[in-house]
Amino acid sequence: QEVELTVQTGHTASLNDVVFSPFDDFVATAGNDNKVVVWDFESGKQYKVLLGHEDVVHQLCFHPDNEILISSSADSTIKFWEYQTGDLKESLKLDFHPYSVKFNDSGDKIYVVGEKAVILSYPDLKIESISLSPKKYFSTVEVTSDEKYMLLGGKEEHLGYLLDLQSLTLVKKFTHPILN
Protein backbone atom coordinates (compact mmCIF):
# COMPACT_ATOMS: atom_id res chain seq x y z
CA GLN A 1 0.00 0.00 0.00
CA GLU A 2 1.38 3.37 -1.05
CA VAL A 3 1.31 6.15 1.54
CA GLU A 4 0.95 9.75 0.41
CA LEU A 5 2.13 12.55 2.67
CA THR A 6 0.54 15.96 2.23
CA VAL A 7 1.22 19.07 4.26
CA GLN A 8 -1.83 21.23 4.77
CA THR A 9 -0.68 24.57 6.06
CA GLY A 10 -4.09 26.23 6.03
CA HIS A 11 -4.03 29.61 7.75
CA THR A 12 -1.49 30.84 10.25
CA ALA A 13 -3.75 33.57 11.67
CA SER A 14 -7.42 34.09 12.44
CA LEU A 15 -10.14 33.86 9.78
CA ASN A 16 -12.29 36.74 8.60
CA ASP A 17 -14.67 34.99 6.22
CA VAL A 18 -15.84 31.54 5.10
CA VAL A 19 -17.94 30.98 1.96
CA PHE A 20 -19.34 27.99 0.07
CA SER A 21 -18.98 27.74 -3.69
CA PRO A 22 -22.27 27.85 -5.65
CA PHE A 23 -22.30 24.06 -6.09
CA ASP A 24 -21.18 23.41 -2.48
CA ASP A 25 -18.12 21.47 -3.63
CA PHE A 26 -15.57 23.93 -2.24
CA VAL A 27 -15.23 26.20 0.77
CA ALA A 28 -12.97 29.26 0.72
CA THR A 29 -11.53 31.02 3.76
CA ALA A 30 -10.01 34.49 4.12
CA GLY A 31 -7.45 35.22 6.79
CA ASN A 32 -5.43 37.76 8.67
CA ASP A 33 -2.36 36.02 7.21
CA ASN A 34 -3.05 37.62 3.76
CA LYS A 35 -4.11 34.24 2.33
CA VAL A 36 -7.16 32.79 0.68
CA VAL A 37 -7.41 29.03 1.14
CA VAL A 38 -9.76 26.86 -0.92
CA TRP A 39 -10.84 23.56 0.63
CA ASP A 40 -12.44 20.52 -0.95
CA PHE A 41 -15.69 20.30 0.97
CA GLU A 42 -16.23 16.55 0.72
CA SER A 43 -12.72 15.47 1.75
CA GLY A 44 -11.97 18.44 4.00
CA LYS A 45 -8.53 18.71 2.41
CA GLN A 46 -6.83 21.89 1.39
CA TYR A 47 -7.26 22.30 -2.37
CA LYS A 48 -5.42 25.56 -3.22
CA VAL A 49 -3.71 28.41 -1.40
CA LEU A 50 -4.20 31.71 -3.23
CA LEU A 51 -1.36 34.13 -2.53
CA GLY A 52 -1.06 37.68 -3.77
CA HIS A 53 -2.60 40.02 -1.20
CA GLU A 54 -0.15 42.16 0.74
CA ASP A 55 -2.43 42.67 3.75
CA VAL A 56 -5.37 41.11 5.60
CA VAL A 57 -8.03 39.48 3.40
CA HIS A 58 -11.45 40.58 4.61
CA GLN A 59 -14.12 38.93 2.52
CA LEU A 60 -14.75 36.50 -0.32
CA CYS A 61 -17.50 35.89 -2.84
CA PHE A 62 -17.92 33.27 -5.55
CA HIS A 63 -19.31 34.23 -8.95
CA PRO A 64 -22.65 32.44 -9.49
CA ASP A 65 -21.19 30.39 -12.40
CA ASN A 66 -18.67 28.82 -9.95
CA GLU A 67 -15.56 29.82 -11.95
CA ILE A 68 -14.32 32.95 -10.20
CA LEU A 69 -13.67 33.81 -6.55
CA ILE A 70 -13.15 37.44 -5.56
CA SER A 71 -11.34 38.61 -2.45
CA SER A 72 -11.18 42.04 -0.80
CA SER A 73 -8.17 43.14 1.21
CA ALA A 74 -6.75 45.85 3.41
CA ASP A 75 -4.16 46.33 0.64
CA SER A 76 -6.92 48.27 -1.25
CA THR A 77 -7.32 45.57 -3.89
CA ILE A 78 -9.96 43.20 -5.07
CA LYS A 79 -8.50 40.10 -6.66
CA PHE A 80 -10.24 37.80 -9.13
CA TRP A 81 -9.12 34.19 -8.90
CA GLU A 82 -9.68 31.18 -11.10
CA TYR A 83 -9.70 29.28 -7.87
CA GLN A 84 -9.75 25.76 -9.31
CA THR A 85 -6.40 26.38 -11.03
CA GLY A 86 -5.08 28.86 -8.46
CA ASP A 87 -4.48 31.48 -11.14
CA LEU A 88 -4.92 35.18 -10.45
CA LYS A 89 -7.11 36.41 -13.30
CA GLU A 90 -7.13 40.12 -12.41
CA SER A 91 -6.34 42.56 -9.63
CA LEU A 92 -8.17 45.86 -9.23
CA LYS A 93 -6.52 48.60 -7.16
CA LEU A 94 -9.07 50.90 -5.53
CA ASP A 95 -8.66 54.32 -3.99
CA PHE A 96 -10.12 53.01 -0.74
CA HIS A 97 -9.92 50.04 1.56
CA PRO A 98 -12.65 47.50 0.57
CA TYR A 99 -14.14 45.32 3.29
CA SER A 100 -17.13 43.57 1.76
CA VAL A 101 -17.65 42.27 -1.79
CA LYS A 102 -20.74 40.61 -3.19
CA PHE A 103 -21.78 39.49 -6.68
CA ASN A 104 -25.39 39.96 -7.66
CA ASP A 105 -27.38 36.83 -8.55
CA SER A 106 -26.69 37.13 -12.29
CA GLY A 107 -22.97 37.84 -11.77
CA ASP A 108 -22.82 41.03 -13.84
CA LYS A 109 -22.38 43.42 -10.87
CA ILE A 110 -20.20 43.49 -7.79
CA TYR A 111 -21.14 45.52 -4.74
CA VAL A 112 -18.07 46.75 -2.87
CA VAL A 113 -18.12 48.61 0.43
CA GLY A 114 -15.50 49.86 2.83
CA GLU A 115 -14.36 53.44 3.25
CA LYS A 116 -16.61 54.10 0.24
CA ALA A 117 -19.36 52.22 -1.56
CA VAL A 118 -19.19 51.41 -5.28
CA ILE A 119 -20.85 49.16 -7.82
CA LEU A 120 -18.61 47.46 -10.37
CA SER A 121 -19.90 46.08 -13.63
CA TYR A 122 -18.51 42.64 -14.39
CA PRO A 123 -16.42 41.63 -16.30
CA ASP A 124 -15.40 45.11 -17.54
CA LEU A 125 -15.00 46.50 -13.96
CA LYS A 126 -16.40 49.97 -14.64
CA ILE A 127 -16.99 51.78 -11.35
CA GLU A 128 -20.21 53.52 -10.39
CA SER A 129 -19.73 55.49 -7.20
CA ILE A 130 -22.38 55.82 -4.54
CA SER A 131 -22.51 59.21 -2.85
CA LEU A 132 -23.20 57.75 0.59
CA SER A 133 -20.11 58.11 2.80
CA PRO A 134 -19.59 56.15 5.99
CA LYS A 135 -18.51 57.72 9.27
CA LYS A 136 -15.68 55.20 9.50
CA TYR A 137 -16.27 52.28 7.10
CA PHE A 138 -18.95 49.91 5.86
CA SER A 139 -18.13 46.29 6.61
CA THR A 140 -21.22 44.57 5.23
CA VAL A 141 -23.43 44.86 2.17
CA GLU A 142 -26.56 42.98 1.17
CA VAL A 143 -28.66 43.43 -1.96
CA THR A 144 -32.24 42.30 -2.52
CA SER A 145 -32.67 39.58 -5.14
CA ASP A 146 -34.58 42.00 -7.40
CA GLU A 147 -31.67 44.49 -7.01
CA LYS A 148 -33.95 47.30 -5.92
CA TYR A 149 -32.32 47.90 -2.55
CA MET A 150 -28.91 47.71 -0.93
CA LEU A 151 -28.36 47.50 2.81
CA LEU A 152 -25.05 48.87 4.14
CA GLY A 153 -23.62 48.98 7.61
CA GLY A 154 -21.19 47.54 10.04
CA LYS A 155 -20.20 47.36 13.68
CA GLU A 156 -17.95 50.43 13.49
CA GLU A 157 -20.57 52.46 11.63
CA HIS A 158 -23.20 52.41 14.42
CA LEU A 159 -25.89 53.01 11.78
CA GLY A 160 -27.48 51.04 8.99
CA TYR A 161 -28.46 52.43 5.59
CA LEU A 162 -31.09 51.32 3.08
CA LEU A 163 -30.34 52.60 -0.41
CA ASP A 164 -32.60 52.59 -3.48
CA LEU A 165 -30.38 51.19 -6.25
CA GLN A 166 -32.37 52.62 -9.17
CA SER A 167 -32.02 56.23 -8.00
CA LEU A 168 -29.00 55.68 -5.70
CA THR A 169 -30.80 57.61 -2.97
CA LEU A 170 -30.99 56.96 0.74
CA VAL A 171 -34.36 55.47 1.75
CA LYS A 172 -33.79 54.99 5.46
CA LYS A 173 -31.22 55.14 8.25
CA PHE A 174 -31.34 52.59 11.03
CA THR A 175 -30.26 53.61 14.51
CA HIS A 176 -28.52 50.31 15.20
CA PRO A 177 -25.47 48.84 13.50
CA ILE A 178 -26.00 46.18 10.85
CA LEU A 179 -23.66 43.31 11.51
CA ASN A 180 -22.80 40.59 9.04
Side-chain angles (χ1 to χ4, degrees):
Q1 183 178 12
E2 192 173 313
V3 177
E4 182 181 326
L5 178 66
T6 45
V7 178
Q8 297 190 106
T9 57
H11 288 278
T12 58
S14 60
L15 297 181
N16 295 316
D17 197 21
V18 176
V19 294
F20 278 98
S21 65
F23 303 130
D24 296 333
D25 47 353
F26 293 98
V27 173
T29 53
N32 280 338
D33 55 4
N34 310 349
K35 289 188 215 173
V36 175
V37 179
V38 180
W39 307 86
D40 179 281
F41 180 67
E42 192 171 308
S43 71
K45 291 183 179 178
Q46 181 176 292
Y47 183 75
K48 294 283 180 193
V49 177
L50 308 178
L51 301 173
H53 282 295
E54 296 175 7
D55 207 334
V56 170
V57 182
H58 288 294
Q59 228 177 39
L60 306 167
C61 186
F62 283 95
H63 189 276
D65 72 5
N66 203 37
E67 293 178 12
I68 300 295
L69 174 68
I70 56 175
S71 55
S72 64
S73 172
D75 65 9
S76 297
T77 65
I78 298 172
K79 296 200 181 292
F80 297 78
W81 307 92
E82 291 178 353
Y83 69 94
Q84 291 185 13
T85 64
D87 294 334
L88 178 62
K89 182 178 176 186
E90 189 155 1
S91 183
L92 178 65
K93 183 76 169 173
L94 298 170
D95 65 351
F96 68 96
H97 180 146
Y99 281 85
S100 184
V101 290
K102 184 168 294 290
F103 274 107
N104 64 348
D105 290 344
S106 60
D108 63 350
K109 291 182 184 172
I110 305 166
Y111 299 94
V112 182
V113 298
E115 296 165 336
K116 291 183 181 180
V118 299
I119 301 169
L120 299 173
S121 57
Y122 185 78
D124 62 0
L125 304 180
K126 291 183 182 172
I127 296 176
E128 182 177 1
S129 293
I130 297 171
S131 60
L132 186 61
S133 296
K135 290 181 181 182
K136 192 167 181 181
Y137 61 87
F138 299 122
S139 59
T140 189
V141 60
E142 288 295 330
V143 178
T144 57
S145 59
D146 60 6
E147 294 185 60
K148 287 186 178 181
Y149 299 102
M150 179 166 59
L151 195 59
L152 304 135
K155 182 175 76 170
E156 298 295 325
E157 192 56 21
H158 304 291
L159 290 171
Y161 303 90
L162 181 65
L163 192 71
D164 180 307
L165 284 173
Q166 275 63 48
S167 63
L168 294 179
T169 57
L170 183 63
V171 175
K172 183 174 183 165
K173 277 187 186 180
F174 298 93
T175 57
H176 296 286
I178 296 173
L179 307 176
N180 47 339

